[in-house]
Amino acid sequence: MAEIRLTRVEQGQTKIRNVPIAVTPEGFWCCPSPVVFQKTLKAQNPLNKPKTSSPPSKTTHQKKQFSVIERKLSPPPSRSAVVSEDQQNFGPERPPVSNSVVTERAPRPKIENLPRKVAIEFGEPGTCDMKMILLGKQGFCVKLSVHKDVLVEKSSFFTNKLSDQSSLSYLEIDDCEDVEIYVETVGLMYCKEMKQRLIKQGVPRILRILKVAELLGFNSCIHSCLEYLEAVPWVGEEEEEVVSTVLQLQDEVIGVNPVLKRVSSNISEPPKDTLSHIIELVLKSNEERGRREMKAIVLKLLREHNSLPSNAFSAGFCCETIYSSCRSCLSSLTSQFKQAAEQDFADKPNDSREPVVKKIALEADNLSWLLEILSDKQAADEFAMMWANQHEFAVLHSKLCIVYRYHISCISARLFVGIGRGELLPSKDTRQLLLQTWLQPLINDYSWLQHGCRSFDRKVVEEGIGRTILTLPLEDQRSILLGWLDSFLKAGDNCPNLQKAFEVWWRRTFIRPRMESQDNNRLQPDSSMTSK
């Protein structure tokens, strides 16, 4: 809490800003507009800043806007209290001046002559029995005329301060961080229907009020703020601010839990079947746009989980669910391939063939999505081994029309890209078997992939295939690249261009041995010199 000093302000030390305060039927005040505080704060800025000229029309608009604010703040003549402009100290109040003084438009003063204080009176005029001085940052000062019994009744902080000093006439509070909200919170002590007052505020302002109310021990205000936060929506970054502020109250104030239940529950970890159910719903969806958008959203959210510490989100939390879904999709895909590989399938009417073709595309897309999730979690090695062992599936692949089967080659291409980037680290045998099983089917579908698959990136795939090949022993590199060379010389652009990998293999095979031999000869001592 800010420091309180029982001191007097010297006479004539500063000027006082006049703020008309209207008295409502319930004895509550109308808080000055934040513009009043902002304009007063601007007056505290250093005078050595360069002045910039503005167009006459803009200046005229600003003057009009300021005068409107003053008129809005002016209360009806019968229910208002105004602090005298000539007041230099905190002695007895003078009779209020007429409203014409407030609304009168005067020439704009210079910066050095702007006031440095705001004077505010609560309740009925002339009934206050205590003065409170709020000293904020940048030399900003607010004088409050308040009622001691109201402060003691509403605030445990003021109760403790004033209990031993019943004759105290005024307080001075130094280093007040948020003067505007401090004034607002003190004013709420005079309000009978606090909810109606708070409902007009936004979440950021309510959080500021909540912090000051906690410092003052203003429990009824704290509860009202919490009720507001429990009911109002939180937008974007507001959620983190709300949770952070409310958590600080959890040990001291009853009623915090309803607010936090929006973002947490009593269950320490969400049940695994929840994630399994979400993935199942996405995989079984037949609506293309909804399925595509939800796949992107779930993938993004799982990536956010991957960025958390390992103890906050276990890697095995969803891998078991993902691999179970992979096996289910692969089984369905194999069944659909068997139907499409039948001899009379091409002769069937379109109504009979279309469901099978759509199912193949759907299951292949599902597998690609699941593979992407596993790659992000660095847990796709088992998928690569599972895919490399699909010999029967690869045989069926060659029997289907290319328009039905090219989706499968997208999965193979993604595996090669993952291995080339180091996202997957399968064993040597798995990498070798993967190339033997799926490289030739990928080459056969390459022309269609370039023209029929919008997400296909030729350069990325070719680099991934080449790097995967170069991870094998030199003899395996030779057999695979010679087979590729035969296909490339026949198909040209309709075959992956693995020339970079071919060059690396060439240098490893023909140039490196010779260079190593020359280096060894240089290191061996001359036999004639040795004999001597």
mmCIF file of all heavy atoms in Angstrom, residues 478-523:
data_model
loop_
_atom_site.group_PDB
_atom_site.id
_atom_site.type_symbol
_atom_site.label_atom_id
_atom_site.label_comp_id
_atom_site.label_asym_id
_atom_site.label_seq_id
_atom_site.Cartn_x
_atom_site.Cartn_y
_atom_site.Cartn_z
ATOM 1 N N ARG A 478 24.466 -46.702 -54.646
ATOM 2 C CA ARG A 478 24.765 -47.014 -56.050
ATOM 3 C C ARG A 478 23.596 -47.707 -56.724
ATOM 4 O O ARG A 478 23.151 -47.300 -57.812
ATOM 5 C CB ARG A 478 26.011 -47.902 -56.119
ATOM 6 C CG ARG A 478 26.329 -48.439 -57.496
ATOM 7 C CD ARG A 478 27.538 -49.356 -57.458
ATOM 8 N NE ARG A 478 27.760 -49.966 -58.769
ATOM 9 C CZ ARG A 478 27.117 -51.033 -59.236
ATOM 10 N NH1 ARG A 478 26.193 -51.638 -58.472
ATOM 11 N NH2 ARG A 478 27.383 -51.522 -60.426
ATOM 12 N N SER A 479 23.033 -48.730 -56.086
ATOM 13 C CA SER A 479 21.963 -49.495 -56.722
ATOM 14 C C SER A 479 20.700 -48.650 -56.899
ATOM 15 O O SER A 479 20.032 -48.710 -57.933
ATOM 16 C CB SER A 479 21.649 -50.738 -55.888
ATOM 17 O OG SER A 479 21.223 -50.380 -54.580
ATOM 18 N N ILE A 480 20.374 -47.812 -55.906
ATOM 19 C CA ILE A 480 19.163 -47.002 -56.005
ATOM 20 C C ILE A 480 19.333 -45.890 -57.035
ATOM 21 O O ILE A 480 18.439 -45.633 -57.859
ATOM 22 C CB ILE A 480 18.807 -46.423 -54.619
ATOM 23 C CG1 ILE A 480 18.415 -47.556 -53.667
ATOM 24 C CG2 ILE A 480 17.669 -45.411 -54.727
ATOM 25 C CD1 ILE A 480 18.171 -47.094 -52.244
ATOM 26 N N LEU A 481 20.498 -45.234 -57.049
ATOM 27 C CA LEU A 481 20.699 -44.116 -57.979
ATOM 28 C C LEU A 481 20.835 -44.601 -59.417
ATOM 29 O O LEU A 481 20.417 -43.896 -60.348
ATOM 30 C CB LEU A 481 21.924 -43.308 -57.555
ATOM 31 C CG LEU A 481 21.704 -42.425 -56.312
ATOM 32 C CD1 LEU A 481 23.016 -41.804 -55.856
ATOM 33 C CD2 LEU A 481 20.681 -41.324 -56.616
ATOM 34 N N LEU A 482 21.398 -45.778 -59.623
ATOM 35 C CA LEU A 482 21.451 -46.301 -60.999
ATOM 36 C C LEU A 482 20.053 -46.637 -61.496
ATOM 37 O O LEU A 482 19.734 -46.440 -62.679
ATOM 38 C CB LEU A 482 22.362 -47.527 -61.048
ATOM 39 C CG LEU A 482 23.867 -47.266 -60.873
ATOM 40 C CD1 LEU A 482 24.654 -48.571 -60.959
ATOM 41 C CD2 LEU A 482 24.363 -46.279 -61.933
ATOM 42 N N GLY A 483 19.203 -47.167 -60.608
ATOM 43 C CA GLY A 483 17.821 -47.410 -60.998
ATOM 44 C C GLY A 483 17.092 -46.104 -61.291
ATOM 45 O O GLY A 483 16.288 -46.020 -62.233
ATOM 46 N N TRP A 484 17.350 -45.088 -60.487
ATOM 47 C CA TRP A 484 16.751 -43.778 -60.768
ATOM 48 C C TRP A 484 17.239 -43.228 -62.093
ATOM 49 O O TRP A 484 16.448 -42.658 -62.871
ATOM 50 C CB TRP A 484 17.109 -42.794 -59.658
ATOM 51 C CG TRP A 484 16.929 -41.369 -60.097
ATOM 52 C CD1 TRP A 484 15.763 -40.673 -60.145
ATOM 53 C CD2 TRP A 484 17.937 -40.503 -60.613
ATOM 54 N NE1 TRP A 484 15.982 -39.418 -60.646
ATOM 55 C CE2 TRP A 484 17.317 -39.281 -60.953
ATOM 56 C CE3 TRP A 484 19.312 -40.640 -60.834
ATOM 57 C CZ2 TRP A 484 18.031 -38.203 -61.486
ATOM 58 C CZ3 TRP A 484 20.022 -39.566 -61.357
ATOM 59 C CH2 TRP A 484 19.376 -38.358 -61.677
ATOM 60 N N LEU A 485 18.523 -43.360 -62.383
ATOM 61 C CA LEU A 485 19.085 -42.818 -63.613
ATOM 62 C C LEU A 485 18.400 -43.413 -64.834
ATOM 63 O O LEU A 485 18.094 -42.692 -65.803
ATOM 64 C CB LEU A 485 20.588 -43.086 -63.653
ATOM 65 C CG LEU A 485 21.338 -42.564 -64.883
ATOM 66 C CD1 LEU A 485 21.209 -41.056 -65.000
ATOM 67 C CD2 LEU A 485 22.809 -42.977 -64.818
ATOM 68 N N ASP A 486 18.117 -44.695 -64.798
ATOM 69 C CA ASP A 486 17.428 -45.342 -65.917
ATOM 70 C C ASP A 486 16.039 -44.726 -66.122
ATOM 71 O O ASP A 486 15.627 -44.459 -67.253
ATOM 72 C CB ASP A 486 17.330 -46.843 -65.654
ATOM 73 C CG ASP A 486 16.657 -47.580 -66.797
ATOM 74 O OD1 ASP A 486 17.195 -47.540 -67.928
ATOM 75 O OD2 ASP A 486 15.586 -48.174 -66.562
ATOM 76 N N SER A 487 15.318 -44.494 -65.007
ATOM 77 C CA SER A 487 13.988 -43.892 -65.110
ATOM 78 C C SER A 487 14.061 -42.437 -65.566
ATOM 79 O O SER A 487 13.240 -41.979 -66.379
ATOM 80 C CB SER A 487 13.268 -43.971 -63.762
ATOM 81 O OG SER A 487 13.111 -45.305 -63.347
ATOM 82 N N PHE A 488 15.041 -41.694 -65.079
ATOM 83 C CA PHE A 488 15.154 -40.280 -65.421
ATOM 84 C C PHE A 488 15.481 -40.076 -66.892
ATOM 85 O O PHE A 488 14.969 -39.154 -67.543
ATOM 86 C CB PHE A 488 16.232 -39.634 -64.543
ATOM 87 C CG PHE A 488 16.373 -38.153 -64.744
ATOM 88 C CD1 PHE A 488 15.397 -37.277 -64.263
ATOM 89 C CD2 PHE A 488 17.475 -37.622 -65.410
ATOM 90 C CE1 PHE A 488 15.530 -35.910 -64.451
ATOM 91 C CE2 PHE A 488 17.606 -36.266 -65.588
ATOM 92 C CZ PHE A 488 16.635 -35.394 -65.113
ATOM 93 N N LEU A 489 16.331 -40.945 -67.435
ATOM 94 C CA LEU A 489 16.689 -40.831 -68.854
ATOM 95 C C LEU A 489 15.523 -41.183 -69.769
ATOM 96 O O LEU A 489 15.513 -40.800 -70.941
ATOM 97 C CB LEU A 489 17.882 -41.735 -69.155
ATOM 98 C CG LEU A 489 19.206 -41.322 -68.475
ATOM 99 C CD1 LEU A 489 20.284 -42.364 -68.742
ATOM 100 C CD2 LEU A 489 19.649 -39.948 -68.972
ATOM 101 N N LYS A 490 14.528 -41.897 -69.257
ATOM 102 C CA LYS A 490 13.355 -42.246 -70.044
ATOM 103 C C LYS A 490 12.206 -41.243 -69.858
ATOM 104 O O LYS A 490 11.501 -40.929 -70.811
ATOM 105 C CB LYS A 490 12.859 -43.640 -69.666
ATOM 106 C CG LYS A 490 13.822 -44.754 -70.005
ATOM 107 C CD LYS A 490 13.289 -46.094 -69.526
ATOM 108 C CE LYS A 490 14.261 -47.221 -69.830
ATOM 109 N NZ LYS A 490 13.763 -48.527 -69.315
ATOM 110 N N ALA A 491 12.036 -40.739 -68.619
ATOM 111 C CA ALA A 491 10.862 -39.905 -68.323
ATOM 112 C C ALA A 491 11.176 -38.410 -68.249
ATOM 113 O O ALA A 491 10.274 -37.589 -68.415
ATOM 114 C CB ALA A 491 10.232 -40.341 -66.999
ATOM 115 N N GLY A 492 12.411 -38.052 -68.002
ATOM 116 C CA GLY A 492 12.775 -36.636 -67.953
ATOM 117 C C GLY A 492 12.087 -35.910 -66.818
ATOM 118 O O GLY A 492 12.186 -36.297 -65.643
ATOM 119 N N ASP A 493 11.326 -34.856 -67.133
ATOM 120 C CA ASP A 493 10.663 -34.055 -66.110
ATOM 121 C C ASP A 493 9.574 -34.808 -65.369
ATOM 122 O O ASP A 493 9.118 -34.358 -64.309
ATOM 123 C CB ASP A 493 10.054 -32.797 -66.744
ATOM 124 C CG ASP A 493 11.120 -31.787 -67.133
ATOM 125 O OD1 ASP A 493 12.246 -31.888 -66.610
ATOM 126 O OD2 ASP A 493 10.824 -30.906 -67.956
ATOM 127 N N ASN A 494 9.118 -35.920 -65.912
ATOM 128 C CA ASN A 494 8.108 -36.719 -65.234
ATOM 129 C C ASN A 494 8.709 -37.664 -64.194
ATOM 130 O O ASN A 494 8.015 -38.540 -63.683
ATOM 131 C CB ASN A 494 7.308 -37.536 -66.257
ATOM 132 C CG ASN A 494 6.476 -36.636 -67.151
ATOM 133 O OD1 ASN A 494 6.012 -35.579 -66.736
ATOM 134 N ND2 ASN A 494 6.289 -37.041 -68.416
ATOM 135 N N CYS A 495 9.979 -37.450 -63.881
ATOM 136 C CA CYS A 495 10.693 -38.245 -62.883
ATOM 137 C C CYS A 495 11.391 -37.291 -61.927
ATOM 138 O O CYS A 495 11.809 -36.194 -62.326
ATOM 139 C CB CYS A 495 11.724 -39.148 -63.571
ATOM 140 S SG CYS A 495 12.711 -40.163 -62.440
ATOM 141 N N PRO A 496 11.496 -37.623 -60.647
ATOM 142 C CA PRO A 496 12.223 -36.742 -59.716
ATOM 143 C C PRO A 496 13.642 -36.479 -60.192
ATOM 144 O O PRO A 496 14.340 -37.391 -60.666
ATOM 145 C CB PRO A 496 12.213 -37.530 -58.402
ATOM 146 C CG PRO A 496 11.090 -38.481 -58.523
ATOM 147 C CD PRO A 496 10.966 -38.827 -59.966
ATOM 148 N N ASN A 497 14.078 -35.238 -60.067
ATOM 149 C CA ASN A 497 15.423 -34.854 -60.460
ATOM 150 C C ASN A 497 16.336 -34.979 -59.243
ATOM 151 O O ASN A 497 16.336 -34.125 -58.357
ATOM 152 C CB ASN A 497 15.430 -33.419 -60.993
ATOM 153 C CG ASN A 497 16.749 -33.050 -61.639
ATOM 154 O OD1 ASN A 497 17.776 -33.679 -61.380
ATOM 155 N ND2 ASN A 497 16.724 -32.053 -62.493
ATOM 156 N N LEU A 498 17.143 -36.053 -59.225
ATOM 157 C CA LEU A 498 18.030 -36.337 -58.101
ATOM 158 C C LEU A 498 19.489 -36.115 -58.476
ATOM 159 O O LEU A 498 20.392 -36.790 -57.995
ATOM 160 C CB LEU A 498 17.833 -37.785 -57.630
ATOM 161 C CG LEU A 498 16.399 -38.198 -57.294
ATOM 162 C CD1 LEU A 498 16.365 -39.659 -56.836
ATOM 163 C CD2 LEU A 498 15.802 -37.293 -56.225
ATOM 164 N N GLN A 499 19.740 -35.131 -59.331
ATOM 165 C CA GLN A 499 21.103 -34.898 -59.820
ATOM 166 C C GLN A 499 22.048 -34.492 -58.685
ATOM 167 O O GLN A 499 23.219 -34.876 -58.679
ATOM 168 C CB GLN A 499 21.090 -33.808 -60.892
ATOM 169 C CG GLN A 499 20.374 -34.232 -62.179
ATOM 170 C CD GLN A 499 20.438 -33.166 -63.245
ATOM 171 O OE1 GLN A 499 21.341 -32.335 -63.259
ATOM 172 N NE2 GLN A 499 19.475 -33.190 -64.156
ATOM 173 N N LYS A 500 21.563 -33.711 -57.710
ATOM 174 C CA LYS A 500 22.432 -33.307 -56.603
ATOM 175 C C LYS A 500 22.894 -34.523 -55.806
ATOM 176 O O LYS A 500 24.074 -34.638 -55.454
ATOM 177 C CB LYS A 500 21.691 -32.324 -55.695
ATOM 178 C CG LYS A 500 21.439 -30.960 -56.327
ATOM 179 C CD LYS A 500 20.777 -30.020 -55.329
ATOM 180 C CE LYS A 500 20.553 -28.651 -55.946
ATOM 181 N NZ LYS A 500 19.898 -27.711 -54.986
ATOM 182 N N ALA A 501 21.962 -35.429 -55.522
ATOM 183 C CA ALA A 501 22.340 -36.653 -54.811
ATOM 184 C C ALA A 501 23.277 -37.500 -55.663
ATOM 185 O O ALA A 501 24.222 -38.122 -55.141
ATOM 186 C CB ALA A 501 21.090 -37.452 -54.447
ATOM 187 N N PHE A 502 23.039 -37.524 -56.978
ATOM 188 C CA PHE A 502 23.894 -38.282 -57.879
ATOM 189 C C PHE A 502 25.327 -37.732 -57.865
ATOM 190 O O PHE A 502 26.304 -38.497 -57.883
ATOM 191 C CB PHE A 502 23.318 -38.229 -59.297
ATOM 192 C CG PHE A 502 24.053 -39.054 -60.300
ATOM 193 C CD1 PHE A 502 23.821 -40.424 -60.415
ATOM 194 C CD2 PHE A 502 25.014 -38.485 -61.127
ATOM 195 C CE1 PHE A 502 24.512 -41.188 -61.342
ATOM 196 C CE2 PHE A 502 25.702 -39.245 -62.055
ATOM 197 C CZ PHE A 502 25.446 -40.605 -62.166
ATOM 198 N N GLU A 503 25.466 -36.394 -57.823
ATOM 199 C CA GLU A 503 26.797 -35.782 -57.795
ATOM 200 C C GLU A 503 27.533 -36.141 -56.500
ATOM 201 O O GLU A 503 28.743 -36.415 -56.512
ATOM 202 C CB GLU A 503 26.672 -34.262 -57.923
ATOM 203 C CG GLU A 503 26.197 -33.802 -59.296
ATOM 204 C CD GLU A 503 26.019 -32.298 -59.356
ATOM 205 O OE1 GLU A 503 26.371 -31.622 -58.356
ATOM 206 O OE2 GLU A 503 25.512 -31.788 -60.366
ATOM 207 N N VAL A 504 26.810 -36.098 -55.387
ATOM 208 C CA VAL A 504 27.436 -36.457 -54.117
ATOM 209 C C VAL A 504 27.897 -37.910 -54.136
ATOM 210 O O VAL A 504 29.017 -38.239 -53.711
ATOM 211 C CB VAL A 504 26.450 -36.217 -52.944
ATOM 212 C CG1 VAL A 504 27.045 -36.726 -51.636
ATOM 213 C CG2 VAL A 504 26.100 -34.735 -52.832
ATOM 214 N N TRP A 505 27.034 -38.788 -54.624
ATOM 215 C CA TRP A 505 27.419 -40.201 -54.713
ATOM 216 C C TRP A 505 28.624 -40.364 -55.628
ATOM 217 O O TRP A 505 29.540 -41.150 -55.336
ATOM 218 C CB TRP A 505 26.238 -41.033 -55.249
ATOM 219 C CG TRP A 505 26.653 -42.406 -55.668
ATOM 220 C CD1 TRP A 505 26.896 -43.470 -54.871
ATOM 221 C CD2 TRP A 505 26.916 -42.838 -57.004
ATOM 222 N NE1 TRP A 505 27.291 -44.551 -55.608
ATOM 223 C CE2 TRP A 505 27.311 -44.183 -56.943
ATOM 224 C CE3 TRP A 505 26.856 -42.221 -58.251
ATOM 225 C CZ2 TRP A 505 27.642 -44.918 -58.070
ATOM 226 C CZ3 TRP A 505 27.180 -42.949 -59.371
ATOM 227 C CH2 TRP A 505 27.563 -44.287 -59.275
ATOM 228 N N TRP A 506 28.673 -39.660 -56.757
ATOM 229 C CA TRP A 506 29.788 -39.750 -57.704
ATOM 230 C C TRP A 506 31.102 -39.367 -57.017
ATOM 231 O O TRP A 506 32.114 -40.051 -57.164
ATOM 232 C CB TRP A 506 29.498 -38.830 -58.894
ATOM 233 C CG TRP A 506 30.588 -38.800 -59.933
ATOM 234 C CD1 TRP A 506 31.773 -38.134 -59.873
ATOM 235 C CD2 TRP A 506 30.590 -39.503 -61.177
ATOM 236 N NE1 TRP A 506 32.508 -38.347 -60.998
ATOM 237 C CE2 TRP A 506 31.803 -39.192 -61.822
ATOM 238 C CE3 TRP A 506 29.681 -40.347 -61.814
ATOM 239 C CZ2 TRP A 506 32.125 -39.703 -63.078
ATOM 240 C CZ3 TRP A 506 30.024 -40.834 -63.054
ATOM 241 C CH2 TRP A 506 31.224 -40.529 -63.676
ATOM 242 N N ARG A 507 31.095 -38.255 -56.301
ATOM 243 C CA ARG A 507 32.317 -37.803 -55.627
ATOM 244 C C ARG A 507 32.740 -38.799 -54.555
ATOM 245 O O ARG A 507 33.934 -39.052 -54.362
ATOM 246 C CB ARG A 507 32.091 -36.424 -55.016
ATOM 247 C CG ARG A 507 31.859 -35.324 -56.052
ATOM 248 C CD ARG A 507 31.846 -33.941 -55.399
ATOM 249 N NE ARG A 507 31.565 -32.906 -56.368
ATOM 250 C CZ ARG A 507 30.373 -32.385 -56.596
ATOM 251 N NH1 ARG A 507 29.338 -32.813 -55.870
ATOM 252 N NH2 ARG A 507 30.195 -31.447 -57.502
ATOM 253 N N ARG A 508 31.762 -39.344 -53.827
ATOM 254 C CA ARG A 508 32.090 -40.338 -52.820
ATOM 255 C C ARG A 508 32.693 -41.591 -53.430
ATOM 256 O O ARG A 508 33.568 -42.240 -52.832
ATOM 257 C CB ARG A 508 30.839 -40.714 -52.026
ATOM 258 C CG ARG A 508 30.308 -39.627 -51.101
ATOM 259 C CD ARG A 508 29.007 -40.066 -50.436
ATOM 260 N NE ARG A 508 28.512 -39.065 -49.484
ATOM 261 C CZ ARG A 508 27.367 -39.183 -48.814
ATOM 262 N NH1 ARG A 508 26.600 -40.273 -48.995
ATOM 263 N NH2 ARG A 508 26.982 -38.240 -47.980
ATOM 264 N N THR A 509 32.230 -41.950 -54.640
ATOM 265 C CA THR A 509 32.654 -43.204 -55.273
ATOM 266 C C THR A 509 33.969 -43.067 -56.018
ATOM 267 O O THR A 509 34.852 -43.949 -55.919
ATOM 268 C CB THR A 509 31.557 -43.694 -56.226
ATOM 269 O OG1 THR A 509 30.339 -43.856 -55.497
ATOM 270 C CG2 THR A 509 31.947 -45.022 -56.862
ATOM 271 N N PHE A 510 34.152 -41.974 -56.784
ATOM 272 C CA PHE A 510 35.292 -41.879 -57.704
ATOM 273 C C PHE A 510 36.365 -40.886 -57.261
ATOM 274 O O PHE A 510 37.538 -41.066 -57.595
ATOM 275 C CB PHE A 510 34.805 -41.471 -59.101
ATOM 276 C CG PHE A 510 33.870 -42.477 -59.713
ATOM 277 C CD1 PHE A 510 32.516 -42.211 -59.820
ATOM 278 C CD2 PHE A 510 34.335 -43.700 -60.184
ATOM 279 C CE1 PHE A 510 31.645 -43.132 -60.376
ATOM 280 C CE2 PHE A 510 33.476 -44.627 -60.746
ATOM 281 C CZ PHE A 510 32.121 -44.343 -60.834
ATOM 282 N N ILE A 511 35.994 -39.839 -56.562
ATOM 283 C CA ILE A 511 36.964 -38.786 -56.258
ATOM 284 C C ILE A 511 37.553 -38.956 -54.860
ATOM 285 O O ILE A 511 38.774 -38.860 -54.680
ATOM 286 C CB ILE A 511 36.301 -37.394 -56.388
ATOM 287 C CG1 ILE A 511 35.824 -37.195 -57.829
ATOM 288 C CG2 ILE A 511 37.258 -36.291 -55.971
ATOM 289 C CD1 ILE A 511 35.105 -35.887 -58.067
ATOM 290 N N ARG A 512 36.696 -39.203 -53.860
ATOM 291 C CA ARG A 512 37.190 -39.326 -52.505
ATOM 292 C C ARG A 512 38.247 -40.425 -52.356
ATOM 293 O O ARG A 512 39.283 -40.193 -51.708
ATOM 294 C CB ARG A 512 36.033 -39.561 -51.532
ATOM 295 C CG ARG A 512 36.464 -39.796 -50.092
ATOM 296 C CD ARG A 512 35.268 -39.934 -49.182
ATOM 297 N NE ARG A 512 34.591 -38.669 -49.021
ATOM 298 C CZ ARG A 512 34.949 -37.748 -48.131
ATOM 299 N NH1 ARG A 512 35.993 -37.973 -47.337
ATOM 300 N NH2 ARG A 512 34.286 -36.625 -48.024
ATOM 301 N N PRO A 513 38.068 -41.651 -52.933
ATOM 302 C CA PRO A 513 39.114 -42.681 -52.775
ATOM 303 C C PRO A 513 40.464 -42.235 -53.312
ATOM 304 O O PRO A 513 41.510 -42.504 -52.697
ATOM 305 C CB PRO A 513 38.555 -43.870 -53.554
ATOM 306 C CG PRO A 513 37.085 -43.673 -53.533
ATOM 307 C CD PRO A 513 36.893 -42.207 -53.631
ATOM 308 N N ARG A 514 40.443 -41.536 -54.457
ATOM 309 C CA ARG A 514 41.719 -41.096 -55.034
ATOM 310 C C ARG A 514 42.371 -40.034 -54.155
ATOM 311 O O ARG A 514 43.598 -40.051 -53.952
ATOM 312 C CB ARG A 514 41.481 -40.555 -56.443
ATOM 313 C CG ARG A 514 42.749 -40.048 -57.126
ATOM 314 C CD ARG A 514 42.500 -39.689 -58.576
ATOM 315 N NE ARG A 514 42.071 -40.869 -59.331
ATOM 316 C CZ ARG A 514 41.794 -40.861 -60.636
ATOM 317 N NH1 ARG A 514 41.888 -39.732 -61.319
ATOM 318 N NH2 ARG A 514 41.425 -41.959 -61.252
ATOM 319 N N MET A 515 41.586 -39.104 -53.645
ATOM 320 C CA MET A 515 42.143 -38.072 -52.776
ATOM 321 C C MET A 515 42.705 -38.686 -51.495
ATOM 322 O O MET A 515 43.780 -38.277 -51.019
ATOM 323 C CB MET A 515 41.061 -37.033 -52.443
ATOM 324 C CG MET A 515 40.560 -36.243 -53.645
ATOM 325 S SD MET A 515 39.245 -35.079 -53.216
ATOM 326 C CE MET A 515 40.103 -34.026 -52.073
ATOM 327 N N GLU A 516 42.010 -39.665 -50.931
ATOM 328 C CA GLU A 516 42.498 -40.312 -49.725
ATOM 329 C C GLU A 516 43.783 -41.071 -50.006
ATOM 330 O O GLU A 516 44.698 -41.119 -49.168
ATOM 331 C CB GLU A 516 41.436 -41.252 -49.171
ATOM 332 C CG GLU A 516 40.219 -40.533 -48.601
ATOM 333 C CD GLU A 516 39.157 -41.511 -48.121
ATOM 334 O OE1 GLU A 516 39.331 -42.725 -48.403
ATOM 335 O OE2 GLU A 516 38.177 -41.078 -47.492
ATOM 336 N N SER A 517 43.885 -41.675 -51.223
ATOM 337 C CA SER A 517 45.109 -42.399 -51.589
ATOM 338 C C SER A 517 46.290 -41.452 -51.707
ATOM 339 O O SER A 517 47.391 -41.748 -51.245
ATOM 340 C CB SER A 517 44.881 -43.152 -52.904
ATOM 341 O OG SER A 517 46.059 -43.789 -53.321
ATOM 342 N N GLN A 518 46.044 -40.276 -52.306
ATOM 343 C CA GLN A 518 47.129 -39.296 -52.442
ATOM 344 C C GLN A 518 47.576 -38.782 -51.077
ATOM 345 O O GLN A 518 48.769 -38.588 -50.838
ATOM 346 C CB GLN A 518 46.668 -38.136 -53.321
ATOM 347 C CG GLN A 518 46.431 -38.538 -54.773
ATOM 348 C CD GLN A 518 45.885 -37.381 -55.604
ATOM 349 O OE1 GLN A 518 45.594 -36.312 -55.092
ATOM 350 N NE2 GLN A 518 45.753 -37.615 -56.910
ATOM 351 N N ASP A 519 46.621 -38.580 -50.188
ATOM 352 C CA ASP A 519 46.977 -38.103 -48.855
ATOM 353 C C ASP A 519 47.805 -39.142 -48.096
ATOM 354 O O ASP A 519 48.764 -38.797 -47.393
ATOM 355 C CB ASP A 519 45.704 -37.780 -48.053
ATOM 356 C CG ASP A 519 44.982 -36.573 -48.626
ATOM 357 O OD1 ASP A 519 45.621 -35.777 -49.337
ATOM 358 O OD2 ASP A 519 43.760 -36.435 -48.350
ATOM 359 N N ASN A 520 47.453 -40.407 -48.283
ATOM 360 C CA ASN A 520 48.212 -41.463 -47.606
ATOM 361 C C ASN A 520 49.639 -41.538 -48.132
ATOM 362 O O ASN A 520 50.586 -41.793 -47.379
ATOM 363 C CB ASN A 520 47.520 -42.814 -47.781
ATOM 364 C CG ASN A 520 46.214 -42.872 -47.001
ATOM 365 O OD1 ASN A 520 46.057 -42.185 -45.993
ATOM 366 N ND2 ASN A 520 45.281 -43.694 -47.468
ATOM 367 N N ASN A 521 49.809 -41.341 -49.463
ATOM 368 C CA ASN A 521 51.155 -41.378 -50.046
ATOM 369 C C ASN A 521 52.028 -40.249 -49.504
ATOM 370 O O ASN A 521 53.224 -40.411 -49.309
ATOM 371 C CB ASN A 521 51.069 -41.288 -51.561
ATOM 372 C CG ASN A 521 50.461 -42.555 -52.171
ATOM 373 O OD1 ASN A 521 50.534 -43.644 -51.576
ATOM 374 N ND2 ASN A 521 49.862 -42.432 -53.347
ATOM 375 N N ARG A 522 51.423 -39.095 -49.279
ATOM 376 C CA ARG A 522 52.210 -37.970 -48.754
ATOM 377 C C ARG A 522 52.666 -38.239 -47.321
ATOM 378 O O ARG A 522 53.743 -37.818 -46.905
ATOM 379 C CB ARG A 522 51.379 -36.688 -48.787
ATOM 380 C CG ARG A 522 51.045 -36.198 -50.194
ATOM 381 C CD ARG A 522 50.517 -34.768 -50.133
ATOM 382 N NE ARG A 522 50.005 -34.337 -51.405
ATOM 383 C CZ ARG A 522 48.719 -34.357 -51.745
ATOM 384 N NH1 ARG A 522 47.825 -34.823 -50.872
ATOM 385 N NH2 ARG A 522 48.330 -33.944 -52.919
ATOM 386 N N LEU A 523 51.835 -38.937 -46.591
ATOM 387 C CA LEU A 523 52.157 -39.184 -45.184
ATOM 388 C C LEU A 523 53.213 -40.271 -45.010
ATOM 389 O O LEU A 523 53.914 -40.307 -44.002
ATOM 390 C CB LEU A 523 50.891 -39.574 -44.417
ATOM 391 C CG LEU A 523 49.828 -38.470 -44.302
ATOM 392 C CD1 LEU A 523 48.582 -39.016 -43.629
ATOM 393 C CD2 LEU A 523 50.380 -37.291 -43.508
#
